[in-house]
Amino acid sequence: GNKVVYWLYGLGSIFGGMSTTFFQRPSPYIQPQIGPEGVIAAYITFLTMLNPHQSFYLFFFPVRAWVLIFLLGSYSLIFDPHKRSFAGITAGLTVFNMRRVGFI
């Protein structure tokens, strides 16, 4: 595989897990951190940064990629108590900038 894919998966899962840990409410029970929200948001953000005018289908409606990222980030900041998707967006932007400056 490509190094960029590994970086996206790794940073997306790490940032998503860290945001879940930071925003988790105190509880006497163990709450597992599962779900691919951070990784999927990192992939979509990276693809959006490569070509912001490409279209994705959102419930049968074509939506520009930058609009989809804006909706995903807004929804995550307002309604998601763990902010996993927003952390994935941050990971996608980080990997894009790492690739742009020549780190990977």
Side-chain angles (χ1 to χ4, degrees):
N2 194 350
K3 287 191 287 186
V4 174
V5 174
Y6 295 132
W7 277 98
L8 279 171
Y9 189 84
L11 288 180
S13 61
I14 289 171
F15 283 19
M18 286 178 15
S19 71
T20 301
T21 302
F22 291 145
F23 292 109
Q24 194 171 30
R25 295 187 181 118
S27 174
Y29 304 107
I30 295 174
Q31 298 175 352
Q33 300 175 12
I34 57 173
E37 293 95 349
V39 176
I40 292 171
Y43 279 126
I44 292 173
T45 304
F46 185 77
L47 292 174
T48 299
M49 295 304 292
L50 288 176
N51 186 7
H53 297 291
Q54 69 183 352
S55 293
F56 287 104
Y57 281 97
L58 180 66
F59 300 113
F60 306 111
F61 301 107
V63 177
R64 296 280 184 192
W66 65 270
V67 174
L68 181 65
I69 293 300
F70 178 75
L71 292 174
L72 183 65
S74 301
Y75 175 80
S76 179
L77 285 176
I78 295 170
F79 296 112
D80 184 16
H82 300 297
K83 315 285 189 267
R84 284 185 216 118
S85 296
F86 189 75
I89 291 170
T90 306
L93 290 172
T94 302
V95 172
F96 177 77
N97 287 323
M98 288 168 55
R99 183 176 176 261
R100 188 176 61 136
V101 299
F103 184 74
I104 53 174

